[in-house]
């Protein structure tokens, strides 16, 4: 990546920081980006930045992200490059959405459409020339979005993503019409729809997708944790990874989620996705509750259209979730007690779901009264039994979710890659040793403190200068006033010299016939520096000495590797 942000740690920190952008002003965003660049590179960034926000205000998707328009510092109208950061998963709902829209493949295409439309708008707003490079950074679901755009249009000069949700062949069919037509030709399907696509063996569809996009994936670079839950989703049917992929293991205590998913046979995963697929669009609009509420009508419609379809194999699904829980226990994510309880709760949930499903399947073509009865049965079953079951399952999954979240976040990945430094809460820590003791320095907070001290010192200098200027003014005015007063008195004495005859000694017989002063005033050397001014100056010198001592100590330990001296020099102006 030849972008201004060509350092991987800078890329990852900016991608992580983007999640906070909605609560920051443009000025705060620019300041934070400049600080990250300074900390990582040891020098200030030499570019003018403009911020373009994509806040998910689309009717068709919740796509979010930020465009950084980087221009010449001397000529802000000369745009040098655009860096787009695609926002990923930020909530529990996003994780479920990853399963439906990406894992199942029933959504995600509109995210790519809305994102590309946003970037086209940014190009128009800033009158950006076609040859200006556009780079993409992304995390989580953001990878899925920018990868879809890149595979279809080769829109970006380069794509760098971290712990990404991978591409899905079915999703790509919905987004890329060229790919859709190629699938139809390759597998001899004239009228390609979701049902006919799912009839293609997943492994063959994945292989074809990889071959079809091989010329466009070279500009995509991925850095991934094998401990990330999304890494396990690669085993789902129709999923395929693109680009140059570098992997790390960030969890050195648990075995990761890959084994849990890979232990499930592909045909069972296929059965699970077949079950979820009809509800993907419902989830997008109404969430989990909507999926359950709409299950009756969706399934009824499906089996009316396909009267010869076999009923779903719920025994297979029960086996699938049981294997999944076993593997999560083996990997260390669930205690024996929690695994036993979760296994039980899932079996009850699927049994309840099976009762609803089979009643619908068997009732195909029956009377209106039977349909009404089925609707009532579905609603009562969900409200009285399954709703509580879902809540209990969610509680048991909390520990697994926390581990999944920790190793999905970028901080764990950054700490695995970094050498001699680490990251916590968005701050950069430098690691070293002195006298046999290990030292960990929060460089971000140290620089914050140093910069704050410099601002205080600058303020004190300004205030002291103003104070002395005022004192100087008052002192000179007073001096000039006294000179004027004295000169006036001398003039009066000169014009009324006879009035001072009595001042001569009585023994002196002479008369005063003239009086003339030869005035000579010593030059004013400046107002005396005392009192408040003296205390302020002493305090300023004391603070400055302590700040410099801190600076020197940090520079002595870390300057060789991190150009800390250059950072301090920049912050001190």
């Amino acid at each position: 990546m030849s972008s201004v942000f060509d350092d991987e740690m800078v890329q990852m920190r900016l991608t992580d920081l983007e999640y906070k952008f909605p609560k920051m002003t443009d000025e705060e965003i620019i300041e934070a980006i400049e600080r990250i660049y300074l900390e990582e590179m040891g020098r200030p960034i030499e570019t003018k930045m403009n911020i373009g926000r994509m806040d998910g205000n689309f009717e068709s998707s919740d796509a979010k992200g930020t465009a950084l328009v980087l221009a010449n510092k001397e000529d802000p109208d000369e745009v040098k490059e655009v860096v787009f950061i695609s926002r990923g998963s930020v909530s529990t709902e996003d994780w479920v959405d990853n399963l439906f829209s990406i894992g199942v493949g029933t959504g995600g295409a509109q995210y790519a459409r809305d994102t590309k439309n946003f970037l086209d708008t940014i190009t128009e707003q800033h009158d950006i020339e076609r040859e200006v490079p556009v780079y993409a950074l992304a995390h989580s679901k953001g990878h899925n979005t920018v990868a879809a755009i890149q595979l279809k249009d080769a829109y970006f000069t380069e794509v760098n993503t971290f712990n990404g949700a991978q591409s899905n062949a079915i999703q790509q069919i919905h987004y890329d019409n060229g790919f859709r037509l190629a699938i139809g030709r390759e597998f001899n399907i004239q009228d390609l729809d979701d049902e006919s696509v799912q009839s293609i063996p997943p492994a063959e569809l994945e292989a074809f997708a990889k071959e079809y996009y091989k010329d466009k994936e070279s500009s995509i670079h991925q850095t991934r944790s094998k401990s990330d839950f999304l890494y396990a989703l690669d085993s789902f049917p129709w999923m395929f990874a693109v680009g140059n992929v570098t992997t790390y293991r960030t969890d050195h205590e648990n075995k990761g989620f890959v084994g849990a998913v890979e232990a499930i046979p592909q045909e069972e995963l296929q059965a699970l996705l077949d079950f979820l697929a009809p509800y993907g669009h419902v989830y997008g609009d109404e969430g989990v509750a909507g999926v359950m509420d709409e299950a009756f009508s969706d399934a009824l419609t499906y089996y009316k259209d396909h009267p010869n379809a076999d009923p779903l194999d719920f025994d297979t699904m029960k086996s699938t979730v049981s294997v999944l829980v076993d593997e999560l226990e083996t990997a260390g994510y669930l205690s024996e007690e929690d695994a036993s309880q979760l296994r039980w709760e899932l079996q009850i949930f699927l049994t309840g779901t099976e009762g609803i499903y089979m009643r619908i399947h068997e009732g195909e073509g029956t009377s209106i009264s039977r349909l009404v009865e089925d609707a009532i049965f579905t609603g009562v079953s969900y409200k009285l039994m399954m709703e509580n079951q879902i809540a209990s399952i969610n509680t048991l999954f909390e520990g697994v979710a926390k581990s999944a979240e920790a190793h999905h976040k970028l901080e764990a990945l950054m700490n695995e890659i970094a050498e001699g430094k680490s990251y916590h809460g968005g701050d950069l820590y430098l690691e070293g040793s002195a006298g046999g003791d290990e030292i960990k320095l929060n460089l971000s907070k140290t620089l914050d403190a140093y910069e704050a001290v410099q601002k205080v010192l600058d303020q004190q200098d300004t205030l002291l200068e103003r104070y002395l200027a005022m004192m100087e003014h008052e002192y000179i005015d007073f001096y000039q006033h006294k000179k004027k007063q004295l000169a006036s008195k001398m003039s009066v004495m000169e014009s009324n010299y006879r009035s001072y005859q009595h001042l001569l000694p009585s023994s002196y017989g002479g008369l005063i016939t003239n009086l003339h002063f030869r005035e000579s005033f010593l030059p004013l050397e400046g107002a005396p520096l005392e009192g408040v001014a003296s205390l302020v100056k002493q305090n300023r010198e004391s603070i400055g000495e302590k700040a410099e001592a801190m600076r020197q100590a940090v520079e002595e330990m870390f300057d060789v590797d991190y150009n800390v001296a250059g950072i301090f020099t920049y912050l001190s102006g």
Side-chain angles (χ1 to χ4, degrees), residues 375-386:
I376 294 173
F377 175 78
T378 301
V380 171
S381 296
Y382 172 65
K383 292 297 180 184
L384 294 185
M385 297 184 298
M386 299 172 66

Side-chain angles (χ1 to χ4, degrees), residues 226-250:
K226 291 183 177 181
S227 307
D228 177 19
F229 177 73
L230 290 186
Y231 192 80
L233 293 188
D234 289 9
S235 299
F236 273 40
W238 312 309
M239 301 293 290
F240 64 101
V242 295
N244 308 294
V245 184
T246 302
T247 59
Y248 298 88
R249 183 172 296 282
T250 57

Side-chain angles (χ1 to χ4, degrees), residues 450-466:
Y450 185 79
E451 190 172 25
V453 167
Q454 293 303 313
K455 288 180 180 178
V456 169
L457 294 179
D458 290 342
Q459 290 172 354
Q460 288 192 357
D461 285 343
T462 300
L463 292 174
L464 185 59
E465 288 174 5
R466 290 177 181 174

Side-chain angles (χ1 to χ4, degrees), residues 495-506:
S495 59
N496 297 284
Y497 58 89
R498 288 189 179 88
S499 301
Y500 301 98
Q501 183 67 41
H502 67 282
L503 295 176
L504 294 176
S506 56

